[in-house]
Structure formats: structure tokens, C-alpha cells
Amino acid sequence: MAKDIDWANLGFGYIKTDKRYISHWKDGEWDKGTLTEDNVLHISEGSTALHYGQQCFEGLKAYRAKDGSINLFRPDQNAQRMQRSCERLLMPTIPTEKFIEACRQVVSANEEFVPPYGTGGTLYLRPFVIGVGDNVGVHAAPEYIFSIFCTPVGAYFKGGLQPANFIVSDYDRAAPKGTGAAKVGGNYASSLLPGKEAQKRNFADAIYLDPATHTKIEEVGAANFFAITKDNRFITPFSPSILPSITKYSLLYLAEHRLGLEVEEGDVYIDQLNDYKEAGACGTAAVITPIGGIQNGDDFHVFHSETEVGPVTRQLYDELCGIQFGDKEAPEDWIVKVK
């Protein structure tokens, strides 16, 4: 099957791979976990994941380096974020070592599906935890499943590193003091309608403002927002309802330590877009998507260009991807070798 994949034209979709990892939590502890060929979960009809949204997930990638080796990018950070999500939803956490080892096993068992170096493709890993078991009351589940599957993917937004336009949504992505900072399915379910409405109007996705005042940018679809000020500072929104993107925090580090920019997590007011010369959306799936323009009510604001990538955004993209694919030196502990 793998040899029949058109690596150069991969989209961001599901392709069934050979093996996935599964581990069960029961009687207060996780079992050892195993690899299985079965891509269908068998769970109780009373599972809390189905009725009360007791579930969370992660997303990370495996990258084929030039020498044929395979890199995982900062999997410890995904493990820690999943631990925070689990704690928020009263689910047992996955130890970091167990999480990383499970990722290694899945990538190794599906090595044929890791796209070749130079194609731009990656192997996307989707770890998740769900509450299962016979249940009907509104309380934490009696049992849990931790699983990881993988699929080869290309660019999340069509066109790869090309500017895309976005529109400010009237909907809220998350509630103040809600689950916005946890990677839970409900946050994404609520984004489906505004995302579809944005696409109907020929925008890539919706931009969400802060739920309390609707004056500040928080997220771009399922990605984090960043911008470059006219005096060359890298700024990204800070809010307790934003999902803390591993890509965003990596870019903050690279902007400061590799590009020499001042960096800041702070408020990005929707009525002050003229302060920024470049903007982008970033995340594991999107990597970096340059933002050409933002539609806010009747106003359409263009940053660097609707067709050309800004120079700072391109530098950040090249630096990040160079590290992920092993072409540039990585900061300490950022890369875990699978092979």
C-alpha cells in the first residue's frame, strides 16, 4: 500500500496504516499497552467520551531526515500538554515516558508510511484519551483508553506556504475559564459551524476573538496566531483560553534566539492591525500559514501581501522545518530519534 502513495500530493486526510497503539486504564492503573492492526474501537454505549465529552487528544509528527533517520519533534511537550488536558477533565494522566515510547512504537511499526525526505510530507500522530465503560451519570468514567494512530499527511491548508485570508467570527471558540487551554474535542466541535461559514465566503477559516470582550485576537481556526510588528517584534496572543501551541512556543524561542527579534506574549487588538507588517497561523498541522488578510466586519486588512510570503515569516518557517527535518541544528532535547 505504502508504495502506491502519491507522496508529492498528500492532503491532510486519513490513510489507514498498519499498526496503532492501545492501552487500557482500569482499577487505578494503565496496562502495558500493545500494538494492534484493528483500527476500530470497541467501547461501551455508556462511555463518557460519547455523552459528556470526557476525552482529549494530541497531534505531533514524525519527519524523515536526509540520512533516512526519523525525527519526533518535542514529543515531551505533547505529553505534558496531554497531561494538563487529562487533569482538566478528571482523566488519568499518561506518564511522559509511556507517551514517548508509544509514539516510537507507532512510528517504527509504520515506517513505510513516513514520507520520503524532500516531499514535504510527514507522518502525523494522533494520540488520544477517552473515558469508557458502562456509565450513565454525569461523572468521571470508570475506565479509559489511551491510543495513538498515525497517517501520512501533506499541507493542512491547500498550497502549503502561501498566504491565506481569514475572517473574524462572531462565535466564541471557548468560554472564559472554560476548556480553551485543553485540547478537547468540544473546542473543535464548536468551531465547525463558524469554520464552514468562513469557507462559504472563500476564507481559509475563522478568527476567534477573546470571549470576554471581543476586542483581542485569540486563535485562528484550530491554530495559534502570531504577528511581526513594524519595528520587528514577534508577538503572539496570551490568554488562559488559548491552547498553548508547541509550534508557537518553538517559534517564540527561534524568533528570539535564532533571528534576534524581541518577542512578546500579549494582547493583539483587532482594531490595531496596522501595527503589524506580517501575520501567520501556526500549529502542528498547519506548521506556519502566512495570513494575507483579515476580514473584520466591513474592513479587510492586508498584511505583507495576499500572494507573497513575508521575509520574517519565511525565515521562521525555514528555521523550524530545518530543525524538524534534521537540516539545521536543534536546540537541546527538541528532537527524539525514532531511527
Side-chain angles (χ1 to χ4, degrees), residues 53-113:
Q54 198 186 24
Q55 59 81 247
C56 67
F57 68 99
E58 274 300 320
L60 67 159
K61 291 176 176 177
Y63 306 80
R64 178 81 69 178
K66 201 171 192 175
D67 63 3
S69 63
I70 300 173
N71 295 336
L72 289 173
F73 181 73
R74 308 191 76 181
D76 59 318
Q77 298 300 302
N78 293 94
Q80 291 170 27
R81 188 170 65 181
M82 176 167 263
Q83 289 159 8
R84 295 192 295 270
S85 295
C86 285
E87 288 168 353
R88 180 63 179 83
L89 270 62
L90 285 182
M91 299 194 294
T93 58
I94 314 299
T96 300
E97 300 76 16
K98 181 180 178 74
F99 181 96
I100 294 175
E101 176 56 27
C103 290
R104 283 179 182 271
Q105 288 185 31
V106 169
V107 175
S108 294
N110 296 286
E111 185 181 341
E112 287 186 0
F113 292 91

Short mmCIF file of all heavy atoms in Angstrom, two decimals, residues 53-113:
data_model
loop_
_atom_site.label_atom_id
_atom_site.label_comp_id
_atom_site.label_asym_id
_atom_site.label_seq_id
_atom_site.Cartn_x
_atom_site.Cartn_y
_atom_site.Cartn_z
N GLY A 53 -18.35 14.23 26.67
CA GLY A 53 -17.14 14.85 26.13
C GLY A 53 -15.90 14.63 26.95
O GLY A 53 -14.98 15.45 26.90
N GLN A 54 -15.85 13.53 27.70
CA GLN A 54 -14.66 13.27 28.50
C GLN A 54 -13.60 12.62 27.62
O GLN A 54 -13.48 11.39 27.55
CB GLN A 54 -14.98 12.40 29.73
CG GLN A 54 -13.89 12.49 30.78
CD GLN A 54 -14.08 11.55 31.94
OE1 GLN A 54 -14.74 10.52 31.84
NE2 GLN A 54 -13.46 11.88 33.07
N GLN A 55 -12.85 13.43 26.94
CA GLN A 55 -11.81 12.97 26.03
C GLN A 55 -10.88 14.12 25.68
O GLN A 55 -11.26 15.28 25.80
CB GLN A 55 -12.40 12.38 24.75
CG GLN A 55 -13.28 13.30 23.94
CD GLN A 55 -12.51 14.27 23.04
OE1 GLN A 55 -12.54 15.46 23.26
NE2 GLN A 55 -11.83 13.74 22.04
N CYS A 56 -9.67 13.80 25.31
CA CYS A 56 -8.73 14.80 24.81
C CYS A 56 -7.82 14.14 23.79
O CYS A 56 -7.82 12.91 23.66
CB CYS A 56 -7.92 15.42 25.95
SG CYS A 56 -6.77 14.28 26.78
N PHE A 57 -7.07 14.95 23.07
CA PHE A 57 -6.20 14.38 22.04
C PHE A 57 -4.97 15.26 21.86
O PHE A 57 -4.88 16.36 22.41
CB PHE A 57 -6.95 14.17 20.72
CG PHE A 57 -7.35 15.45 20.02
CD1 PHE A 57 -6.59 15.94 18.97
CD2 PHE A 57 -8.50 16.12 20.39
CE1 PHE A 57 -6.96 17.10 18.31
CE2 PHE A 57 -8.89 17.29 19.72
CZ PHE A 57 -8.11 17.78 18.69
N GLU A 58 -4.03 14.78 21.07
CA GLU A 58 -2.82 15.50 20.73
C GLU A 58 -2.54 15.34 19.24
O GLU A 58 -3.17 14.53 18.56
CB GLU A 58 -1.62 15.00 21.55
CG GLU A 58 -1.47 15.65 22.90
CD GLU A 58 -1.27 17.15 22.81
OE1 GLU A 58 -0.54 17.61 21.91
OE2 GLU A 58 -1.84 17.87 23.65
N GLY A 59 -1.60 16.11 18.76
CA GLY A 59 -1.15 15.98 17.38
C GLY A 59 0.34 16.27 17.32
O GLY A 59 0.80 17.29 17.84
N LEU A 60 1.10 15.36 16.75
CA LEU A 60 2.53 15.59 16.53
C LEU A 60 2.95 14.83 15.29
O LEU A 60 2.16 14.05 14.74
CB LEU A 60 3.36 15.19 17.75
CG LEU A 60 3.46 13.71 18.15
CD1 LEU A 60 4.71 13.49 19.02
CD2 LEU A 60 2.23 13.27 18.93
N LYS A 61 4.18 15.07 14.83
CA LYS A 61 4.60 14.49 13.56
C LYS A 61 5.95 13.80 13.67
O LYS A 61 6.78 14.14 14.51
CB LYS A 61 4.70 15.60 12.50
CG LYS A 61 3.37 16.18 12.06
CD LYS A 61 3.59 17.32 11.08
CE LYS A 61 2.28 17.86 10.54
NZ LYS A 61 2.51 19.03 9.64
N ALA A 62 6.13 12.84 12.78
CA ALA A 62 7.43 12.22 12.57
C ALA A 62 7.95 12.68 11.21
O ALA A 62 7.20 12.73 10.23
CB ALA A 62 7.32 10.69 12.60
N TYR A 63 9.25 13.02 11.17
CA TYR A 63 9.86 13.63 10.00
C TYR A 63 11.01 12.76 9.50
O TYR A 63 11.88 12.35 10.28
CB TYR A 63 10.42 15.01 10.35
CG TYR A 63 9.42 15.95 10.97
CD1 TYR A 63 9.11 15.86 12.34
CD2 TYR A 63 8.80 16.95 10.23
CE1 TYR A 63 8.20 16.71 12.92
CE2 TYR A 63 7.87 17.80 10.81
CZ TYR A 63 7.58 17.69 12.15
OH TYR A 63 6.68 18.53 12.74
N ARG A 64 11.04 12.50 8.19
CA ARG A 64 12.13 11.74 7.60
C ARG A 64 13.29 12.69 7.30
O ARG A 64 13.13 13.67 6.55
CB ARG A 64 11.68 11.06 6.31
CG ARG A 64 12.76 10.28 5.60
CD ARG A 64 12.97 8.91 6.20
NE ARG A 64 11.82 8.03 5.94
CZ ARG A 64 11.76 6.77 6.33
NH1 ARG A 64 12.78 6.23 7.00
NH2 ARG A 64 10.69 6.04 6.08
N ALA A 65 14.45 12.42 7.89
CA ALA A 65 15.63 13.25 7.65
C ALA A 65 16.35 12.79 6.38
O ALA A 65 16.05 11.73 5.82
CB ALA A 65 16.57 13.19 8.85
N LYS A 66 17.29 13.61 5.95
CA LYS A 66 18.02 13.35 4.71
C LYS A 66 18.76 12.02 4.75
O LYS A 66 18.90 11.33 3.74
CB LYS A 66 19.00 14.49 4.45
CG LYS A 66 19.45 14.64 3.02
CD LYS A 66 20.24 15.94 2.86
CE LYS A 66 20.47 16.27 1.39
NZ LYS A 66 21.13 17.59 1.23
N ASP A 67 19.27 11.64 5.95
CA ASP A 67 20.03 10.40 6.08
C ASP A 67 19.14 9.17 6.28
O ASP A 67 19.63 8.06 6.52
CB ASP A 67 21.03 10.51 7.23
CG ASP A 67 20.35 10.70 8.59
OD1 ASP A 67 19.11 10.69 8.65
OD2 ASP A 67 21.08 10.87 9.60
N GLY A 68 17.82 9.37 6.16
CA GLY A 68 16.88 8.25 6.30
C GLY A 68 16.38 8.04 7.71
O GLY A 68 15.44 7.26 7.93
N SER A 69 16.99 8.70 8.69
CA SER A 69 16.53 8.57 10.07
C SER A 69 15.18 9.29 10.25
O SER A 69 14.75 10.04 9.37
CB SER A 69 17.57 9.14 11.04
OG SER A 69 17.74 10.52 10.83
N ILE A 70 14.53 9.05 11.37
CA ILE A 70 13.19 9.62 11.60
C ILE A 70 13.21 10.41 12.91
O ILE A 70 13.66 9.92 13.95
CB ILE A 70 12.13 8.50 11.67
CG1 ILE A 70 12.10 7.72 10.35
CG2 ILE A 70 10.75 9.10 11.95
CD1 ILE A 70 11.21 6.48 10.39
N ASN A 71 12.72 11.63 12.84
CA ASN A 71 12.69 12.53 13.98
C ASN A 71 11.28 12.72 14.53
O ASN A 71 10.33 12.87 13.76
CB ASN A 71 13.19 13.93 13.58
CG ASN A 71 14.64 13.94 13.16
OD1 ASN A 71 15.42 13.08 13.56
ND2 ASN A 71 15.03 14.93 12.37
N LEU A 72 11.17 12.73 15.84
CA LEU A 72 9.99 13.26 16.52
C LEU A 72 10.36 14.63 17.06
O LEU A 72 11.45 14.82 17.60
CB LEU A 72 9.55 12.36 17.68
CG LEU A 72 8.94 11.01 17.32
CD1 LEU A 72 8.72 10.18 18.58
CD2 LEU A 72 7.61 11.20 16.59
N PHE A 73 9.44 15.60 16.92
CA PHE A 73 9.70 16.97 17.33
C PHE A 73 9.04 17.27 18.67
O PHE A 73 7.82 17.31 18.78
CB PHE A 73 9.19 17.93 16.25
CG PHE A 73 9.42 19.39 16.56
CD1 PHE A 73 10.69 19.93 16.48
CD2 PHE A 73 8.37 20.22 16.93
CE1 PHE A 73 10.91 21.27 16.75
CE2 PHE A 73 8.58 21.56 17.21
CZ PHE A 73 9.86 22.09 17.12
N ARG A 74 9.84 17.40 19.71
CA ARG A 74 9.42 17.80 21.05
C ARG A 74 8.24 16.99 21.60
O ARG A 74 7.25 17.55 22.10
CB ARG A 74 9.09 19.30 21.08
CG ARG A 74 10.18 20.19 20.51
CD ARG A 74 9.95 21.66 20.79
NE ARG A 74 10.27 21.98 22.18
CZ ARG A 74 10.15 23.21 22.71
NH1 ARG A 74 9.72 24.21 21.95
NH2 ARG A 74 10.45 23.42 23.98
N PRO A 75 8.29 15.67 21.53
CA PRO A 75 7.16 14.87 21.99
C PRO A 75 6.90 15.01 23.49
O PRO A 75 5.78 14.80 23.95
CB PRO A 75 7.56 13.43 21.63
CG PRO A 75 9.05 13.46 21.59
CD PRO A 75 9.39 14.82 21.03
N ASP A 76 7.94 15.39 24.25
CA ASP A 76 7.74 15.59 25.69
C ASP A 76 6.76 16.72 25.96
O ASP A 76 6.00 16.70 26.93
CB ASP A 76 9.08 15.87 26.37
CG ASP A 76 9.78 17.11 25.82
OD1 ASP A 76 9.79 17.30 24.59
OD2 ASP A 76 10.31 17.90 26.63
N GLN A 77 6.76 17.73 25.05
CA GLN A 77 5.83 18.85 25.22
C GLN A 77 4.38 18.42 24.94
O GLN A 77 3.45 18.87 25.60
CB GLN A 77 6.23 20.00 24.29
CG GLN A 77 7.61 20.57 24.57
CD GLN A 77 7.72 21.11 25.99
OE1 GLN A 77 6.97 22.00 26.39
NE2 GLN A 77 8.66 20.56 26.76
N ASN A 78 4.20 17.54 23.96
CA ASN A 78 2.87 16.98 23.71
C ASN A 78 2.40 16.16 24.90
O ASN A 78 1.23 16.22 25.30
CB ASN A 78 2.86 16.12 22.45
CG ASN A 78 3.07 16.92 21.19
OD1 ASN A 78 4.20 17.06 20.73
ND2 ASN A 78 2.01 17.48 20.63
N ALA A 79 3.32 15.38 25.46
CA ALA A 79 2.98 14.56 26.63
C ALA A 79 2.52 15.44 27.78
O ALA A 79 1.50 15.16 28.45
CB ALA A 79 4.18 13.71 27.05
N GLN A 80 3.25 16.51 28.03
CA GLN A 80 2.91 17.40 29.14
C GLN A 80 1.59 18.13 28.89
O GLN A 80 0.79 18.32 29.82
CB GLN A 80 4.04 18.40 29.37
CG GLN A 80 5.30 17.74 29.92
CD GLN A 80 6.50 18.68 29.92
OE1 GLN A 80 6.36 19.89 30.00
NE2 GLN A 80 7.69 18.10 29.80
N ARG A 81 1.34 18.52 27.65
CA ARG A 81 0.07 19.19 27.36
C ARG A 81 -1.10 18.23 27.51
O ARG A 81 -2.16 18.58 28.02
CB ARG A 81 0.09 19.80 25.95
CG ARG A 81 -1.13 20.67 25.66
CD ARG A 81 -0.98 21.44 24.36
NE ARG A 81 -0.93 20.55 23.21
CZ ARG A 81 -0.78 21.00 21.95
NH1 ARG A 81 -0.63 22.29 21.72
NH2 ARG A 81 -0.75 20.16 20.94
N MET A 82 -0.90 16.97 27.09
CA MET A 82 -1.95 15.98 27.27
C MET A 82 -2.21 15.71 28.75
O MET A 82 -3.36 15.51 29.16
CB MET A 82 -1.60 14.68 26.54
CG MET A 82 -2.63 13.57 26.76
SD MET A 82 -2.44 12.18 25.62
CE MET A 82 -3.66 12.62 24.38
N GLN A 83 -1.17 15.73 29.55
CA GLN A 83 -1.35 15.56 30.99
C GLN A 83 -2.22 16.68 31.56
O GLN A 83 -3.12 16.43 32.38
CB GLN A 83 0.02 15.53 31.68
CG GLN A 83 0.81 14.25 31.41
CD GLN A 83 2.30 14.41 31.63
OE1 GLN A 83 2.77 15.44 32.13
NE2 GLN A 83 3.07 13.40 31.25
N ARG A 84 -1.99 17.91 31.11
CA ARG A 84 -2.81 19.03 31.58
C ARG A 84 -4.26 18.89 31.12
O ARG A 84 -5.20 19.19 31.87
CB ARG A 84 -2.22 20.36 31.11
CG ARG A 84 -0.84 20.66 31.70
CD ARG A 84 -0.43 22.10 31.45
NE ARG A 84 -0.25 22.40 30.04
CZ ARG A 84 0.87 22.28 29.36
NH1 ARG A 84 1.97 21.82 29.97
NH2 ARG A 84 0.95 22.61 28.08
N SER A 85 -4.45 18.44 29.87
CA SER A 85 -5.81 18.22 29.36
C SER A 85 -6.52 17.15 30.17
O SER A 85 -7.70 17.30 30.53
CB SER A 85 -5.77 17.83 27.88
OG SER A 85 -5.28 18.87 27.07
N CYS A 86 -5.83 16.05 30.45
CA CYS A 86 -6.42 14.97 31.24
C CYS A 86 -6.81 15.45 32.63
O CYS A 86 -7.91 15.14 33.13
CB CYS A 86 -5.43 13.79 31.36
SG CYS A 86 -5.26 12.80 29.86
N GLU A 87 -5.93 16.21 33.25
CA GLU A 87 -6.23 16.72 34.59
C GLU A 87 -7.47 17.62 34.58
O GLU A 87 -8.29 17.58 35.49
CB GLU A 87 -5.02 17.49 35.13
CG GLU A 87 -3.87 16.57 35.53
CD GLU A 87 -2.58 17.33 35.79
OE1 GLU A 87 -2.53 18.56 35.53
OE2 GLU A 87 -1.61 16.69 36.24
N ARG A 88 -7.61 18.43 33.53
CA ARG A 88 -8.75 19.33 33.43
C ARG A 88 -10.07 18.58 33.32
O ARG A 88 -11.12 19.05 33.77
CB ARG A 88 -8.58 20.26 32.21
CG ARG A 88 -9.70 21.26 31.97
CD ARG A 88 -9.82 22.24 33.12
NE ARG A 88 -10.87 23.22 32.88
CZ ARG A 88 -12.16 23.01 33.12
NH1 ARG A 88 -12.57 21.84 33.60
NH2 ARG A 88 -13.05 23.96 32.89
N LEU A 89 -10.02 17.37 32.72
CA LEU A 89 -11.23 16.58 32.50
C LEU A 89 -11.33 15.37 33.44
O LEU A 89 -12.09 14.45 33.19
CB LEU A 89 -11.30 16.10 31.05
CG LEU A 89 -12.04 17.05 30.08
CD1 LEU A 89 -11.34 18.40 29.98
CD2 LEU A 89 -12.19 16.43 28.71
N LEU A 90 -10.55 15.39 34.51
CA LEU A 90 -10.58 14.32 35.52
C LEU A 90 -10.29 12.95 34.94
O LEU A 90 -10.93 11.95 35.29
CB LEU A 90 -11.92 14.30 36.26
CG LEU A 90 -12.16 15.40 37.29
CD1 LEU A 90 -13.52 15.21 37.96
CD2 LEU A 90 -11.06 15.40 38.34
N MET A 91 -9.30 12.90 34.04
CA MET A 91 -8.88 11.63 33.46
C MET A 91 -7.48 11.29 33.96
O MET A 91 -6.69 12.19 34.27
CB MET A 91 -8.90 11.70 31.94
CG MET A 91 -10.28 12.00 31.36
SD MET A 91 -10.41 11.69 29.57
CE MET A 91 -9.30 12.93 28.92
N PRO A 92 -7.14 10.00 34.06
CA PRO A 92 -5.78 9.64 34.48
C PRO A 92 -4.75 10.11 33.45
O PRO A 92 -5.00 10.03 32.24
CB PRO A 92 -5.82 8.11 34.56
CG PRO A 92 -6.95 7.71 33.67
CD PRO A 92 -7.96 8.82 33.76
N THR A 93 -3.63 10.62 33.92
CA THR A 93 -2.62 11.15 33.02
C THR A 93 -1.74 10.03 32.46
O THR A 93 -1.65 8.95 33.03
CB THR A 93 -1.72 12.17 33.73
OG1 THR A 93 -1.12 11.55 34.86
CG2 THR A 93 -2.53 13.38 34.18
N ILE A 94 -1.12 10.32 31.33
CA ILE A 94 -0.18 9.39 30.69
C ILE A 94 1.23 9.85 31.07
O ILE A 94 1.62 10.97 30.74
CB ILE A 94 -0.31 9.42 29.16
CG1 ILE A 94 -1.78 9.37 28.71
CG2 ILE A 94 0.51 8.29 28.53
CD1 ILE A 94 -2.51 8.14 29.14
N PRO A 95 2.01 9.01 31.73
CA PRO A 95 3.39 9.40 32.04
C PRO A 95 4.16 9.75 30.76
O PRO A 95 3.94 9.15 29.70
CB PRO A 95 3.97 8.16 32.70
CG PRO A 95 2.79 7.42 33.25
CD PRO A 95 1.68 7.67 32.27
N THR A 96 5.03 10.74 30.85
CA THR A 96 5.77 11.21 29.68
C THR A 96 6.53 10.07 29.00
O THR A 96 6.52 9.95 27.77
CB THR A 96 6.74 12.33 30.08
OG1 THR A 96 5.99 13.42 30.65
CG2 THR A 96 7.53 12.84 28.89
N GLU A 97 7.15 9.21 29.78
CA GLU A 97 7.94 8.11 29.21
C GLU A 97 7.04 7.14 28.44
O GLU A 97 7.41 6.66 27.36
CB GLU A 97 8.68 7.34 30.32
CG GLU A 97 9.65 8.19 31.12
CD GLU A 97 8.98 9.10 32.14
OE1 GLU A 97 7.77 8.88 32.47
OE2 GLU A 97 9.62 10.06 32.60
N LYS A 98 5.87 6.87 28.97
CA LYS A 98 4.92 5.96 28.31
C LYS A 98 4.44 6.59 26.99
O LYS A 98 4.35 5.91 25.96
CB LYS A 98 3.72 5.69 29.22
CG LYS A 98 2.67 4.72 28.64
CD LYS A 98 1.52 4.52 29.63
CE LYS A 98 0.43 3.61 29.09
NZ LYS A 98 0.86 2.19 29.08
N PHE A 99 4.16 7.89 27.03
CA PHE A 99 3.69 8.61 25.85
C PHE A 99 4.74 8.56 24.74
O PHE A 99 4.43 8.20 23.60
CB PHE A 99 3.38 10.06 26.24
CG PHE A 99 2.86 10.91 25.12
CD1 PHE A 99 1.49 11.10 24.96
CD2 PHE A 99 3.72 11.56 24.24
CE1 PHE A 99 1.00 11.90 23.93
CE2 PHE A 99 3.25 12.36 23.22
CZ PHE A 99 1.88 12.53 23.07
N ILE A 100 5.98 8.89 25.07
CA ILE A 100 7.03 8.93 24.04
C ILE A 100 7.33 7.53 23.51
O ILE A 100 7.50 7.34 22.30
CB ILE A 100 8.30 9.60 24.60
CG1 ILE A 100 8.03 11.07 24.90
CG2 ILE A 100 9.46 9.47 23.60
CD1 ILE A 100 9.19 11.80 25.56
N GLU A 101 7.37 6.55 24.39
CA GLU A 101 7.62 5.18 23.94
C GLU A 101 6.51 4.69 23.02
O GLU A 101 6.77 4.00 22.02
CB GLU A 101 7.77 4.25 25.15
CG GLU A 101 7.96 2.77 24.80
CD GLU A 101 9.14 2.49 23.88
OE1 GLU A 101 10.12 3.27 23.88
OE2 GLU A 101 9.07 1.47 23.15
N ALA A 102 5.26 5.03 23.33
CA ALA A 102 4.15 4.64 22.47
C ALA A 102 4.29 5.29 21.09
O ALA A 102 4.03 4.66 20.06
CB ALA A 102 2.82 5.03 23.12
N CYS A 103 4.70 6.55 21.06
CA CYS A 103 4.93 7.23 19.78
C CYS A 103 6.01 6.53 18.98
O CYS A 103 5.87 6.30 17.77
CB CYS A 103 5.33 8.69 20.02
SG CYS A 103 4.02 9.75 20.64
N ARG A 104 7.10 6.18 19.66
CA ARG A 104 8.19 5.45 19.00
C ARG A 104 7.69 4.14 18.38
O ARG A 104 8.01 3.81 17.23
CB ARG A 104 9.29 5.12 20.00
CG ARG A 104 10.23 6.25 20.39
CD ARG A 104 11.21 5.69 21.41
NE ARG A 104 12.15 6.65 21.92
CZ ARG A 104 13.34 6.92 21.38
NH1 ARG A 104 13.69 6.30 20.28
NH2 ARG A 104 14.16 7.80 21.94
N GLN A 105 6.92 3.41 19.15
CA GLN A 105 6.42 2.11 18.68
C GLN A 105 5.54 2.28 17.44
O GLN A 105 5.66 1.51 16.47
CB GLN A 105 5.62 1.42 19.79
CG GLN A 105 6.45 0.88 20.93
CD GLN A 105 5.62 0.11 21.94
OE1 GLN A 105 4.61 -0.51 21.59
NE2 GLN A 105 6.03 0.14 23.20
N VAL A 106 4.67 3.29 17.46
CA VAL A 106 3.76 3.50 16.33
C VAL A 106 4.53 3.89 15.07
O VAL A 106 4.26 3.38 13.98
CB VAL A 106 2.70 4.57 16.68
CG1 VAL A 106 1.91 4.99 15.45
CG2 VAL A 106 1.75 4.05 17.75
N VAL A 107 5.50 4.79 15.22
CA VAL A 107 6.28 5.21 14.06
C VAL A 107 7.11 4.04 13.52
O VAL A 107 7.15 3.80 12.31
CB VAL A 107 7.19 6.41 14.41
CG1 VAL A 107 8.09 6.76 13.22
CG2 VAL A 107 6.35 7.62 14.81
N SER A 108 7.75 3.30 14.40
CA SER A 108 8.57 2.16 13.97
C SER A 108 7.73 1.11 13.24
O SER A 108 8.16 0.55 12.23
CB SER A 108 9.26 1.51 15.17
OG SER A 108 10.19 2.39 15.75
N ALA A 109 6.53 0.86 13.74
CA ALA A 109 5.67 -0.17 13.15
C ALA A 109 5.08 0.28 11.81
O ALA A 109 4.59 -0.54 11.03
CB ALA A 109 4.54 -0.52 14.12
N ASN A 110 5.11 1.60 11.56
CA ASN A 110 4.54 2.13 10.31
C ASN A 110 5.59 2.91 9.51
O ASN A 110 5.26 3.86 8.79
CB ASN A 110 3.37 3.05 10.64
CG ASN A 110 2.22 2.31 11.29
OD1 ASN A 110 1.49 1.58 10.64
ND2 ASN A 110 2.05 2.50 12.60
N GLU A 111 6.83 2.45 9.58
CA GLU A 111 7.93 3.19 8.96
C GLU A 111 7.72 3.39 7.45
O GLU A 111 8.10 4.41 6.89
CB GLU A 111 9.26 2.49 9.21
CG GLU A 111 10.44 3.28 8.70
CD GLU A 111 11.77 2.58 8.92
OE1 GLU A 111 11.84 1.68 9.77
OE2 GLU A 111 12.75 2.96 8.24
N GLU A 112 7.10 2.44 6.80
CA GLU A 112 6.86 2.56 5.35
C GLU A 112 5.97 3.73 5.00
O GLU A 112 5.93 4.18 3.86
CB GLU A 112 6.22 1.27 4.81
CG GLU A 112 7.15 0.08 4.73
CD GLU A 112 6.47 -1.11 4.05
OE1 GLU A 112 5.30 -0.96 3.66
OE2 GLU A 112 7.12 -2.15 3.91
N PHE A 113 5.23 4.21 5.99
CA PHE A 113 4.30 5.31 5.74
C PHE A 113 4.89 6.68 6.05
O PHE A 113 4.23 7.69 5.88
CB PHE A 113 3.02 5.11 6.55
CG PHE A 113 2.20 3.94 6.11
CD1 PHE A 113 2.38 2.68 6.68
CD2 PHE A 113 1.24 4.08 5.12
CE1 PHE A 113 1.63 1.60 6.27
CE2 PHE A 113 0.46 3.00 4.70
CZ PHE A 113 0.66 1.76 5.28
#
